[in-house]
Amino acid sequence: MIIAIDGPLASGKGTLARALAAHYGLPHLDTGALYRATALQLINKNIEPSNESEAIKAANALDLSLFENPELRSAKTGAGASVVAAFPEVRKALYDFQVNFANQEGGAVLDGRDIGTVICPNADFKFFVVADANERAERRHRELLEKGEEIALETLITQIKERDERDSNRNDAPLTMAKDAHLLDTSGLSIERVIEKACAIIDANR
Ligand code: C5P
C-alpha cells in the first residue's frame, strides 16, 4: 500500500505521515528532507541556495548523513530548500530515490509537495493536508522553540507566506492537490482526530 501525503509547511502532514506509517507498519520518507539536505550542503559551504549549478551538483551527490544534522530542521535550511526545489534539474536528481522508496515491496508512506501528483500518481491513498495560515505559523513557532531556535512569530508568518507562494507558483511540480486526493483540513483539530479521519478513509477502502 502506497500512501501519498502532500500539503504546505506545518499543515500537519509530517505528523500524519509518521502516524500512518507506524499504524500500518510501513516505512516512511519525509521527502522535504531531501531538498533540505541539498540546501544544507550549500549553506555549509557558504554557497547561496539560489546558485543553480551548485544546487544541481549537491542534489546529484546527496550526503545522506545530513539527515541526522540538527541544522536540517532550521528555518534557514527550510527556506533554502524551497529555493533549490524550484530548479527542475534538482527535482530530477531526487526523483529516482523517491520513486524507488515508494515502490519497495509492501509499500510506503511519503510526504511532501508533489507526492500525489508527480512521485506516486498511482498511490493507493492520497491526502492533501491544509490548515489555517496563522495556526500553521504558531505550530511551527512552537516546534522551532522546542529545538532552541528563537524566531519572532511575525517573521515566521512572512516566511510561511513566501514559502507557500514559491512552492505553489513554481513551474515544475508546484504544490497542488491531486484530483483524487482526500482533503484534510487540520485547523482546530487535534492530531489524534486527524489520524482517525485518515485511518477511517483508508480502512473503508482497502
Ligand atoms: O516539508 P519541508 O518544509 O521539509 O520542505 C522543505 C521544502 O522542500 C518545501 O518548502 C518545498 O519547496 C520543498 N519540497 C518539494 N517537494 C517535496 C518536498 C519538499 O518541493 N516533495
mmCIF file of all heavy atoms in Angstrom, residues 5-10 13-14 30-36 72-73 77-86 91 98 111-115 119 140 163-164 166-167 170 172-175, ligand 1:
data_model
loop_
_atom_site.group_PDB
_atom_site.id
_atom_site.type_symbol
_atom_site.label_atom_id
_atom_site.label_comp_id
_atom_site.label_asym_id
_atom_site.label_seq_id
_atom_site.Cartn_x
_atom_site.Cartn_y
_atom_site.Cartn_z
ATOM 1 N N ILE A 5 1.136 11.810 0.886
ATOM 2 C CA ILE A 5 0.605 12.921 1.692
ATOM 3 C C ILE A 5 1.297 14.219 1.281
ATOM 4 O O ILE A 5 2.525 14.309 1.306
ATOM 5 C CB ILE A 5 0.842 12.663 3.203
ATOM 6 C CG1 ILE A 5 0.247 11.306 3.592
ATOM 7 C CG2 ILE A 5 0.232 13.785 4.037
ATOM 8 C CD1 ILE A 5 0.439 10.934 5.039
ATOM 9 N N ASP A 6 0.516 15.184 0.858
ATOM 10 C CA ASP A 6 1.070 16.483 0.475
ATOM 11 C C ASP A 6 0.409 17.587 1.274
ATOM 12 O O ASP A 6 -0.680 17.406 1.816
ATOM 13 C CB ASP A 6 0.824 16.733 -1.028
ATOM 14 C CG ASP A 6 1.641 15.792 -1.895
ATOM 15 O OD1 ASP A 6 2.889 15.833 -1.776
ATOM 16 O OD2 ASP A 6 1.058 15.011 -2.664
ATOM 17 N N GLY A 7 1.081 18.729 1.277
ATOM 18 C CA GLY A 7 0.498 19.892 1.945
ATOM 19 C C GLY A 7 1.574 20.910 2.213
ATOM 20 O O GLY A 7 2.766 20.618 2.074
ATOM 21 N N PRO A 8 1.163 22.120 2.592
ATOM 22 C CA PRO A 8 2.153 23.156 2.866
ATOM 23 C C PRO A 8 2.837 22.966 4.220
ATOM 24 O O PRO A 8 2.478 22.070 4.994
ATOM 25 C CB PRO A 8 1.315 24.441 2.847
ATOM 26 C CG PRO A 8 -0.067 24.013 3.188
ATOM 27 C CD PRO A 8 -0.220 22.601 2.702
ATOM 28 N N LEU A 9 3.799 23.841 4.463
ATOM 29 C CA LEU A 9 4.582 23.833 5.708
ATOM 30 C C LEU A 9 3.680 23.863 6.943
ATOM 31 O O LEU A 9 2.752 24.660 7.007
ATOM 32 C CB LEU A 9 5.462 25.099 5.692
ATOM 33 C CG LEU A 9 6.266 25.413 6.928
ATOM 34 C CD1 LEU A 9 7.546 24.622 6.910
ATOM 35 C CD2 LEU A 9 6.565 26.886 7.003
ATOM 36 N N ALA A 10 3.992 23.006 7.902
ATOM 37 C CA ALA A 10 3.309 22.980 9.202
ATOM 38 C C ALA A 10 1.801 22.737 9.106
ATOM 39 O O ALA A 10 1.039 23.161 9.967
ATOM 40 C CB ALA A 10 3.593 24.258 9.999
ATOM 41 N N LYS A 13 1.155 17.487 7.925
ATOM 42 C CA LYS A 13 1.344 16.331 7.036
ATOM 43 C C LYS A 13 2.439 15.384 7.533
ATOM 44 O O LYS A 13 2.299 14.171 7.398
ATOM 45 C CB LYS A 13 1.619 16.773 5.592
ATOM 46 C CG LYS A 13 2.915 17.525 5.422
ATOM 47 C CD LYS A 13 3.115 17.930 3.987
ATOM 48 C CE LYS A 13 4.490 18.544 3.757
ATOM 49 N NZ LYS A 13 4.993 19.448 4.793
ATOM 50 N N GLY A 14 3.503 15.938 8.109
ATOM 51 C CA GLY A 14 4.615 15.103 8.584
ATOM 52 C C GLY A 14 4.166 14.237 9.760
ATOM 53 O O GLY A 14 4.462 13.037 9.812
ATOM 54 N N ASP A 30 10.217 11.281 4.542
ATOM 55 C CA ASP A 30 9.908 12.715 4.572
ATOM 56 C C ASP A 30 10.704 13.316 3.407
ATOM 57 O O ASP A 30 11.911 13.520 3.515
ATOM 58 C CB ASP A 30 10.375 13.254 5.936
ATOM 59 C CG ASP A 30 10.600 14.749 5.940
ATOM 60 O OD1 ASP A 30 10.156 15.441 4.998
ATOM 61 O OD2 ASP A 30 11.246 15.236 6.896
ATOM 62 N N THR A 31 10.052 13.533 2.275
ATOM 63 C CA THR A 31 10.804 13.945 1.074
ATOM 64 C C THR A 31 11.360 15.363 1.188
ATOM 65 O O THR A 31 12.315 15.702 0.496
ATOM 66 C CB THR A 31 9.946 13.824 -0.202
ATOM 67 O OG1 THR A 31 8.835 14.724 -0.110
ATOM 68 C CG2 THR A 31 9.439 12.409 -0.397
ATOM 69 N N GLY A 32 10.780 16.182 2.075
ATOM 70 C CA GLY A 32 11.313 17.532 2.283
ATOM 71 C C GLY A 32 12.762 17.461 2.746
ATOM 72 O O GLY A 32 13.571 18.349 2.453
ATOM 73 N N ALA A 33 13.103 16.371 3.471
ATOM 74 C CA ALA A 33 14.471 16.227 3.984
ATOM 75 C C ALA A 33 15.479 16.150 2.838
ATOM 76 O O ALA A 33 16.634 16.572 2.994
ATOM 77 C CB ALA A 33 14.565 14.985 4.863
ATOM 78 N N LEU A 34 15.073 15.637 1.689
ATOM 79 C CA LEU A 34 15.992 15.540 0.547
ATOM 80 C C LEU A 34 16.338 16.947 0.033
ATOM 81 O O LEU A 34 17.492 17.242 -0.279
ATOM 82 C CB LEU A 34 15.359 14.728 -0.586
ATOM 83 C CG LEU A 34 14.961 13.288 -0.249
ATOM 84 C CD1 LEU A 34 14.175 12.671 -1.397
ATOM 85 C CD2 LEU A 34 16.194 12.454 0.049
ATOM 86 N N TYR A 35 15.307 17.790 -0.042
ATOM 87 C CA TYR A 35 15.535 19.168 -0.505
ATOM 88 C C TYR A 35 16.287 19.958 0.560
ATOM 89 O O TYR A 35 17.128 20.800 0.247
ATOM 90 C CB TYR A 35 14.197 19.827 -0.868
ATOM 91 C CG TYR A 35 13.541 19.138 -2.043
ATOM 92 C CD1 TYR A 35 12.659 18.079 -1.856
ATOM 93 C CD2 TYR A 35 13.867 19.501 -3.347
ATOM 94 C CE1 TYR A 35 12.092 17.408 -2.928
ATOM 95 C CE2 TYR A 35 13.306 18.831 -4.424
ATOM 96 C CZ TYR A 35 12.424 17.789 -4.212
ATOM 97 O OH TYR A 35 11.886 17.124 -5.277
ATOM 98 N N ARG A 36 15.961 19.681 1.821
ATOM 99 C CA ARG A 36 16.670 20.360 2.912
ATOM 100 C C ARG A 36 18.150 19.966 2.919
ATOM 101 O O ARG A 36 19.028 20.808 3.112
ATOM 102 C CB ARG A 36 16.033 20.005 4.259
ATOM 103 C CG ARG A 36 14.723 20.716 4.507
ATOM 104 C CD ARG A 36 14.054 20.237 5.776
ATOM 105 N NE ARG A 36 12.808 20.935 6.015
ATOM 106 C CZ ARG A 36 12.681 22.013 6.804
ATOM 107 N NH1 ARG A 36 13.714 22.474 7.473
ATOM 108 N NH2 ARG A 36 11.510 22.606 6.947
ATOM 109 N N LEU A 72 19.296 20.581 9.789
ATOM 110 C CA LEU A 72 18.381 20.201 8.705
ATOM 111 C C LEU A 72 17.004 20.818 8.919
ATOM 112 O O LEU A 72 16.309 21.164 7.969
ATOM 113 C CB LEU A 72 18.259 18.668 8.648
ATOM 114 C CG LEU A 72 17.636 18.103 7.372
ATOM 115 C CD1 LEU A 72 18.627 18.141 6.216
ATOM 116 C CD2 LEU A 72 17.156 16.675 7.575
ATOM 117 N N ARG A 73 16.613 20.940 10.183
ATOM 118 C CA ARG A 73 15.255 21.399 10.528
ATOM 119 C C ARG A 73 15.175 22.907 10.761
ATOM 120 O O ARG A 73 14.126 23.397 11.168
ATOM 121 C CB ARG A 73 14.780 20.686 11.808
ATOM 122 C CG ARG A 73 14.677 19.210 11.655
ATOM 123 C CD ARG A 73 13.396 18.814 10.950
ATOM 124 N NE ARG A 73 13.626 17.674 10.093
ATOM 125 C CZ ARG A 73 13.002 17.444 8.954
ATOM 126 N NH1 ARG A 73 12.095 18.286 8.502
ATOM 127 N NH2 ARG A 73 13.275 16.404 8.228
ATOM 128 N N THR A 77 17.454 26.517 6.671
ATOM 129 C CA THR A 77 17.569 25.385 5.745
ATOM 130 C C THR A 77 16.247 25.170 5.005
ATOM 131 O O THR A 77 16.237 24.872 3.804
ATOM 132 C CB THR A 77 17.977 24.099 6.509
ATOM 133 O OG1 THR A 77 19.154 24.381 7.257
ATOM 134 C CG2 THR A 77 18.252 22.950 5.567
ATOM 135 N N GLY A 78 15.136 25.350 5.712
ATOM 136 C CA GLY A 78 13.821 25.188 5.080
ATOM 137 C C GLY A 78 13.613 26.189 3.953
ATOM 138 O O GLY A 78 13.132 25.833 2.865
ATOM 139 N N ALA A 79 14.014 27.424 4.214
ATOM 140 C CA ALA A 79 13.861 28.456 3.185
ATOM 141 C C ALA A 79 14.761 28.128 1.991
ATOM 142 O O ALA A 79 14.356 28.253 0.825
ATOM 143 C CB ALA A 79 14.215 29.822 3.768
ATOM 144 N N GLY A 80 15.988 27.689 2.275
ATOM 145 C CA GLY A 80 16.927 27.306 1.207
ATOM 146 C C GLY A 80 16.388 26.124 0.414
ATOM 147 O O GLY A 80 16.515 26.065 -0.816
ATOM 148 N N ALA A 81 15.724 25.199 1.110
ATOM 149 C CA ALA A 81 15.165 24.012 0.449
ATOM 150 C C ALA A 81 14.139 24.436 -0.590
ATOM 151 O O ALA A 81 14.094 23.891 -1.703
ATOM 152 C CB ALA A 81 14.521 23.094 1.482
ATOM 153 N N SER A 82 13.332 25.417 -0.251
ATOM 154 C CA SER A 82 12.288 25.803 -1.200
ATOM 155 C C SER A 82 12.889 26.546 -2.396
ATOM 156 O O SER A 82 12.295 26.566 -3.474
ATOM 157 C CB SER A 82 11.155 26.548 -0.502
ATOM 158 O OG SER A 82 11.165 27.897 -0.746
ATOM 159 N N VAL A 83 14.086 27.109 -2.224
ATOM 160 C CA VAL A 83 14.763 27.756 -3.367
ATOM 161 C C VAL A 83 15.349 26.675 -4.296
ATOM 162 O O VAL A 83 15.101 26.679 -5.498
ATOM 163 C CB VAL A 83 15.868 28.728 -2.872
ATOM 164 C CG1 VAL A 83 16.690 29.259 -4.037
ATOM 165 C CG2 VAL A 83 15.242 29.874 -2.092
ATOM 166 N N VAL A 84 16.073 25.711 -3.732
ATOM 167 C CA VAL A 84 16.670 24.671 -4.592
ATOM 168 C C VAL A 84 15.588 23.795 -5.237
ATOM 169 O O VAL A 84 15.755 23.284 -6.346
ATOM 170 C CB VAL A 84 17.711 23.772 -3.863
ATOM 171 C CG1 VAL A 84 18.860 24.582 -3.322
ATOM 172 C CG2 VAL A 84 17.094 22.929 -2.750
ATOM 173 N N ALA A 85 14.446 23.664 -4.528
ATOM 174 C CA ALA A 85 13.368 22.798 -5.026
ATOM 175 C C ALA A 85 12.698 23.348 -6.289
ATOM 176 O O ALA A 85 11.985 22.629 -6.974
ATOM 177 C CB ALA A 85 12.315 22.603 -3.937
ATOM 178 N N ALA A 86 12.931 24.610 -6.566
ATOM 179 C CA ALA A 86 12.315 25.207 -7.766
ATOM 180 C C ALA A 86 13.129 24.895 -9.030
ATOM 181 O O ALA A 86 12.655 25.138 -10.136
ATOM 182 C CB ALA A 86 12.179 26.711 -7.581
ATOM 183 N N ARG A 91 15.072 18.617 -8.899
ATOM 184 C CA ARG A 91 13.939 17.696 -8.709
ATOM 185 C C ARG A 91 14.211 16.371 -9.425
ATOM 186 O O ARG A 91 13.913 15.289 -8.910
ATOM 187 C CB ARG A 91 12.631 18.310 -9.194
ATOM 188 C CG ARG A 91 12.322 19.672 -8.613
ATOM 189 C CD ARG A 91 10.858 20.037 -8.755
ATOM 190 N NE ARG A 91 10.031 19.237 -7.879
ATOM 191 C CZ ARG A 91 9.819 19.493 -6.595
ATOM 192 N NH1 ARG A 91 10.345 20.558 -6.041
ATOM 193 N NH2 ARG A 91 9.075 18.691 -5.865
ATOM 194 N N GLN A 98 13.076 8.748 -4.584
ATOM 195 C CA GLN A 98 11.718 8.777 -4.022
ATOM 196 C C GLN A 98 10.829 7.694 -4.640
ATOM 197 O O GLN A 98 10.087 7.004 -3.943
ATOM 198 C CB GLN A 98 11.082 10.154 -4.256
ATOM 199 C CG GLN A 98 11.845 11.282 -3.565
ATOM 200 C CD GLN A 98 11.288 12.648 -3.943
ATOM 201 O OE1 GLN A 98 10.269 13.064 -3.434
ATOM 202 N NE2 GLN A 98 11.959 13.342 -4.848
ATOM 203 N N ASP A 111 5.685 11.808 2.354
ATOM 204 C CA ASP A 111 5.038 13.112 2.454
ATOM 205 C C ASP A 111 5.910 14.184 1.833
ATOM 206 O O ASP A 111 7.130 14.072 1.809
ATOM 207 C CB ASP A 111 4.651 13.442 3.905
ATOM 208 C CG ASP A 111 5.823 13.811 4.781
ATOM 209 O OD1 ASP A 111 6.464 12.894 5.316
ATOM 210 O OD2 ASP A 111 6.110 15.009 4.915
ATOM 211 N N GLY A 112 5.246 15.174 1.245
ATOM 212 C CA GLY A 112 5.976 16.248 0.570
ATOM 213 C C GLY A 112 5.037 17.242 -0.063
ATOM 214 O O GLY A 112 4.028 17.631 0.548
ATOM 215 N N ARG A 113 5.388 17.650 -1.292
ATOM 216 C CA ARG A 113 4.570 18.650 -2.001
ATOM 217 C C ARG A 113 4.011 18.114 -3.309
ATOM 218 O O ARG A 113 3.021 18.621 -3.810
ATOM 219 C CB ARG A 113 5.418 19.900 -2.330
ATOM 220 C CG ARG A 113 6.080 20.588 -1.160
ATOM 221 C CD ARG A 113 5.046 21.244 -0.263
ATOM 222 N NE ARG A 113 5.635 22.108 0.762
ATOM 223 C CZ ARG A 113 6.310 21.696 1.819
ATOM 224 N NH1 ARG A 113 6.519 20.410 2.010
ATOM 225 N NH2 ARG A 113 6.776 22.560 2.705
ATOM 226 N N ASP A 114 4.694 17.095 -3.873
ATOM 227 C CA ASP A 114 4.319 16.608 -5.213
ATOM 228 C C ASP A 114 4.187 15.090 -5.226
ATOM 229 O O ASP A 114 4.392 14.453 -6.243
ATOM 230 C CB ASP A 114 5.396 17.024 -6.228
ATOM 231 C CG ASP A 114 6.750 16.399 -5.917
ATOM 232 O OD1 ASP A 114 6.962 15.952 -4.759
ATOM 233 O OD2 ASP A 114 7.600 16.331 -6.813
ATOM 234 N N ILE A 115 3.899 14.504 -4.075
ATOM 235 C CA ILE A 115 3.883 13.038 -3.995
ATOM 236 C C ILE A 115 2.683 12.475 -4.760
ATOM 237 O O ILE A 115 2.831 11.578 -5.590
ATOM 238 C CB ILE A 115 3.887 12.558 -2.514
ATOM 239 C CG1 ILE A 115 5.042 13.207 -1.746
ATOM 240 C CG2 ILE A 115 3.991 11.036 -2.448
ATOM 241 C CD1 ILE A 115 6.412 13.008 -2.338
ATOM 242 N N ILE A 119 5.373 12.049 -7.914
ATOM 243 C CA ILE A 119 6.184 10.901 -7.465
ATOM 244 C C ILE A 119 5.345 9.616 -7.440
ATOM 245 O O ILE A 119 5.790 8.577 -7.916
ATOM 246 C CB ILE A 119 6.802 11.171 -6.058
ATOM 247 C CG1 ILE A 119 7.624 12.469 -6.059
ATOM 248 C CG2 ILE A 119 7.638 9.991 -5.573
ATOM 249 C CD1 ILE A 119 8.857 12.451 -6.923
ATOM 250 N N ARG A 140 4.565 25.958 13.916
ATOM 251 C CA ARG A 140 5.972 25.955 13.509
ATOM 252 C C ARG A 140 6.810 26.705 14.547
ATOM 253 O O ARG A 140 7.936 26.325 14.861
ATOM 254 C CB ARG A 140 6.067 26.609 12.122
ATOM 255 C CG ARG A 140 7.386 26.496 11.457
ATOM 256 C CD ARG A 140 7.652 25.069 10.990
ATOM 257 N NE ARG A 140 9.014 24.970 10.491
ATOM 258 C CZ ARG A 140 9.911 24.131 10.962
ATOM 259 N NH1 ARG A 140 9.606 23.281 11.905
ATOM 260 N NH2 ARG A 140 11.119 24.117 10.453
ATOM 261 N N ARG A 163 7.077 31.105 1.384
ATOM 262 C CA ARG A 163 7.333 29.698 1.037
ATOM 263 C C ARG A 163 6.128 29.113 0.294
ATOM 264 O O ARG A 163 6.277 28.451 -0.725
ATOM 265 C CB ARG A 163 7.620 28.903 2.307
ATOM 266 C CG ARG A 163 8.059 27.492 2.042
ATOM 267 C CD ARG A 163 9.519 27.331 2.279
ATOM 268 N NE ARG A 163 9.818 27.136 3.681
ATOM 269 C CZ ARG A 163 9.861 25.945 4.270
ATOM 270 N NH1 ARG A 163 9.591 24.865 3.593
ATOM 271 N NH2 ARG A 163 10.189 25.857 5.527
ATOM 272 N N ASP A 164 4.916 29.406 0.778
ATOM 273 C CA ASP A 164 3.694 28.924 0.115
ATOM 274 C C ASP A 164 3.648 29.445 -1.313
ATOM 275 O O ASP A 164 3.326 28.718 -2.250
ATOM 276 C CB ASP A 164 2.441 29.453 0.833
ATOM 277 C CG ASP A 164 2.155 28.691 2.121
ATOM 278 O OD1 ASP A 164 2.871 27.722 2.407
ATOM 279 O OD2 ASP A 164 1.214 29.083 2.826
ATOM 280 N N ARG A 166 6.155 30.500 -3.221
ATOM 281 C CA ARG A 166 7.189 29.916 -4.082
ATOM 282 C C ARG A 166 6.841 28.468 -4.433
ATOM 283 O O ARG A 166 6.939 28.051 -5.577
ATOM 284 C CB ARG A 166 8.538 29.983 -3.357
ATOM 285 C CG ARG A 166 9.714 29.786 -4.274
ATOM 286 C CD ARG A 166 11.015 30.356 -3.735
ATOM 287 N NE ARG A 166 11.220 30.063 -2.324
ATOM 288 C CZ ARG A 166 11.714 30.925 -1.446
ATOM 289 N NH1 ARG A 166 12.050 32.128 -1.808
ATOM 290 N NH2 ARG A 166 11.881 30.589 -0.188
ATOM 291 N N ASP A 167 6.382 27.696 -3.444
ATOM 292 C CA ASP A 167 6.073 26.278 -3.680
ATOM 293 C C ASP A 167 4.850 26.105 -4.584
ATOM 294 O O ASP A 167 4.782 25.153 -5.356
ATOM 295 C CB ASP A 167 5.816 25.549 -2.353
ATOM 296 C CG ASP A 167 7.088 25.331 -1.541
ATOM 297 O OD1 ASP A 167 8.184 25.571 -2.093
ATOM 298 O OD2 ASP A 167 6.997 24.928 -0.372
ATOM 299 N N ARG A 170 5.803 27.710 -8.570
ATOM 300 C CA ARG A 170 6.917 27.306 -9.429
ATOM 301 C C ARG A 170 6.349 26.512 -10.611
ATOM 302 O O ARG A 170 5.254 25.929 -10.521
ATOM 303 C CB ARG A 170 7.952 26.503 -8.638
ATOM 304 C CG ARG A 170 7.426 25.188 -8.173
ATOM 305 C CD ARG A 170 8.446 24.419 -7.349
ATOM 306 N NE ARG A 170 7.861 23.211 -6.834
ATOM 307 C CZ ARG A 170 8.031 22.739 -5.606
ATOM 308 N NH1 ARG A 170 8.830 23.366 -4.763
ATOM 309 N NH2 ARG A 170 7.446 21.632 -5.225
ATOM 310 N N ASP A 172 7.744 23.784 -12.127
ATOM 311 C CA ASP A 172 7.936 22.341 -12.067
ATOM 312 C C ASP A 172 7.360 21.786 -10.765
ATOM 313 O O ASP A 172 7.790 22.184 -9.679
ATOM 314 C CB ASP A 172 9.447 22.052 -12.157
ATOM 315 C CG ASP A 172 9.719 20.585 -12.427
ATOM 316 O OD1 ASP A 172 8.786 19.872 -12.846
ATOM 317 O OD2 ASP A 172 10.863 20.160 -12.215
ATOM 318 N N ALA A 173 6.419 20.862 -10.875
ATOM 319 C CA ALA A 173 5.837 20.177 -9.714
ATOM 320 C C ALA A 173 5.397 21.134 -8.603
ATOM 321 O O ALA A 173 5.823 21.000 -7.454
ATOM 322 C CB ALA A 173 6.830 19.139 -9.168
ATOM 323 N N PRO A 174 4.546 22.099 -8.918
ATOM 324 C CA PRO A 174 4.092 23.005 -7.845
ATOM 325 C C PRO A 174 3.222 22.268 -6.834
ATOM 326 O O PRO A 174 2.722 21.179 -7.124
ATOM 327 C CB PRO A 174 3.254 24.054 -8.598
ATOM 328 C CG PRO A 174 2.796 23.376 -9.829
ATOM 329 C CD PRO A 174 3.873 22.384 -10.197
ATOM 330 N N LEU A 175 3.088 22.887 -5.656
ATOM 331 C CA LEU A 175 2.231 22.301 -4.624
ATOM 332 C C LEU A 175 0.779 22.426 -5.078
ATOM 333 O O LEU A 175 0.228 23.522 -5.096
ATOM 334 C CB LEU A 175 2.438 23.067 -3.315
ATOM 335 C CG LEU A 175 1.470 22.755 -2.177
ATOM 336 C CD1 LEU A 175 1.678 21.347 -1.664
ATOM 337 C CD2 LEU A 175 1.649 23.749 -1.040
HETATM 338 O O1 C5P B 1 8.363 19.922 4.091
HETATM 339 P P1 C5P B 1 9.620 20.725 4.287
HETATM 340 O O2 C5P B 1 9.394 22.032 4.966
HETATM 341 O O3 C5P B 1 10.702 19.936 4.925
HETATM 342 O O4 C5P B 1 10.113 21.032 2.797
HETATM 343 C C1 C5P B 1 11.107 21.983 2.519
HETATM 344 C C2 C5P B 1 10.936 22.476 1.087
HETATM 345 O O5 C5P B 1 11.263 21.432 0.192
HETATM 346 C C3 C5P B 1 9.497 22.888 0.719
HETATM 347 O O6 C5P B 1 9.207 24.223 1.027
HETATM 348 C C4 C5P B 1 9.482 22.628 -0.783
HETATM 349 O O7 C5P B 1 9.954 23.737 -1.501
HETATM 350 C C5 C5P B 1 10.463 21.507 -0.977
HETATM 351 N N1 C5P B 1 9.805 20.232 -1.224
HETATM 352 C C6 C5P B 1 9.374 19.971 -2.516
HETATM 353 N N2 C5P B 1 8.826 18.778 -2.833
HETATM 354 C C7 C5P B 1 8.669 17.839 -1.900
HETATM 355 C C8 C5P B 1 9.074 18.084 -0.554
HETATM 356 C C9 C5P B 1 9.633 19.315 -0.250
HETATM 357 O O8 C5P B 1 9.487 20.826 -3.382
HETATM 358 N N3 C5P B 1 8.161 16.663 -2.244
#
